[in-house]
Amino acid sequence: MSFPPYPQEMPVEGVYSTVPPQGQFGVAPVVKPLSPLAITALVLGIISLLLFWVPALKYLILILALVATILAIVAVAQTLPNKAHRGSSMAIASLVISTLTIAAVLGGQAMYSKANGEAAGTSSVSPQASKAGATSDVVQLENGKVTIEVKKVEESVDDSDGEPTVAVTLKITNNDTSSLNPFAYYIEVSQNKAELDSAVYSDDLKPEGYEPFADLEEVPAGKSVTLVEGYVLRDATAPVTLMIDSTISSTKAFKKDYSLQ
């Protein structure tokens, strides 16, 4: 005895069907994790790009941008279609931002140095070389809100690595009604157009009046501080060029050569 075939239930709109939806028992697609290197590179690149206009932070900005560039390159390779991470667009954006930041810092520094050189030609201070330790030159910045007086520029004790140094003594006066941010002015010391590195001294051998990190302290309104900075000499006989300027504007730049002999 035979039975008629069991009718197959078909999906009908508005009626329940026993036929499982297509793909219900298939394997769910795997979502790749977002590359942490791409995220880190993007954050560092944006930070460095936002700060590139501050000349006093140029070394820190360059380091951040270089690190972001390296991370971005690795992230690009890490997010290829056959790799285990996603975020290729973010990695490429990070690479572009960090590269532009490096170019902006280097280009901005070149323009800054050129502007200072031109401004120094019209400065009220003579650009001629003077005897070390025998000058007292004054420059006004920020429309007179800041007065910086060069007290001494003279050869000093060796740094902690035994390298010869030059000590620059400045008197900084805040003529404003609010505290003076240490990044409001810019000081550069160079020899033969090459900027000198800051010196690091040992506790028992350092220039008179030198205090580490004193250049990071704010100057209270209406007060003056004496700042002693040390720099590693590249040449024991070449004159030292001192440049002082406002971080943002270049209205009254100061540039002068000081002989160490």
Side-chain angles (χ1 to χ4, degrees):
M1 182 176 180
S2 61
F3 294 92
Y6 188 83
Q8 183 180 7
E9 294 184 12
M10 300 298 293
V12 179
E13 185 177 356
V15 180
Y16 174 79
S17 173
T18 60
V19 178
Q22 184 178 2
Q24 178 176 332
F25 300 108
V27 179
V30 177
V31 179
K32 296 180 180 180
L34 187 60
S35 170
L37 292 181
I39 299 175
T40 305
L42 183 62
V43 172
L44 292 179
I46 292 175
I47 292 175
S48 59
L49 183 62
L50 292 176
L51 296 177
F52 86 92
W53 58 272
V54 184
L57 300 179
K58 63 180 180 180
Y59 293 121
L60 175 61
I61 297 169
L62 279 176
I63 292 174
L64 289 177
L66 288 172
V67 171
T69 301
I70 295 172
L71 293 180
I73 293 174
V74 177
V76 169
Q78 191 183 58
T79 55
L80 293 174
N82 61 337
K83 299 298 182 179
H85 291 81
R86 61 187 174 90
S88 177
S89 299
M90 182 181 298
I92 294 174
S94 305
L95 183 59
V96 172
I97 292 174
S98 57
T99 303
L100 288 177
T101 300
I102 294 174
V105 171
L106 296 179
Q109 181 62 26
M111 294 177 60
Y112 180 84
S113 299
K114 181 178 179 181
N116 276 321
E118 294 175 352
T122 59
S123 174
S124 60
V125 181
S126 172
Q128 300 299 319
S130 59
K131 189 68 177 177
T135 66
S136 181
D137 301 321
V138 179
V139 59
Q140 299 283 341
L141 302 175
E142 298 292 331
N143 296 321
K145 294 180 180 180
V146 183
T147 302
I148 300 180
E149 180 182 2
V150 183
K151 304 296 289 186
K152 291 188 295 184
V153 178
E154 58 186 2
E155 192 169 359
S156 188
V157 298
D158 293 347
D159 68 356
S160 57
D161 293 327
E163 297 292 335
T165 70
V166 59
V168 177
T169 303
L170 305 172
K171 181 180 179 181
I172 302 174
T173 303
N174 180 9
N175 303 314
D176 202 0
T177 56
S178 58
S179 297
L180 174 63
N181 189 298
F183 299 113
Y185 54 89
Y186 180 60
I187 299 170
E188 180 180 300
V189 180
S190 60
Q191 280 185 311
N192 301 321
K193 298 182 180 181
E195 187 174 353
L196 301 182
D197 295 329
S198 297
V200 178
Y201 297 99
S202 59
D203 293 336
D204 55 348
L205 187 62
K206 57 186 178 181
E208 183 179 359
Y210 171 83
E211 292 295 338
F213 309 113
D215 58 330
L216 299 179
E217 298 179 2
E218 292 187 344
V219 181
K223 301 294 183 180
S224 298
V225 297
T226 299
L227 180 65
V228 180
E229 289 287 326
Y231 300 88
V232 180
L233 289 171
R234 294 175 177 266
D235 187 331
T237 60
V240 170
T241 301
L242 174 62
M243 189 188 315
I244 304 173
D245 198 4
S246 169
T247 301
I248 300 177
S249 63
S250 300
T251 54
K252 292 184 178 181
F254 173 94
K255 184 176 182 182
K256 189 170 182 177
D257 293 335
Y258 295 87
S259 174
L260 299 177
Q261 303 300 313

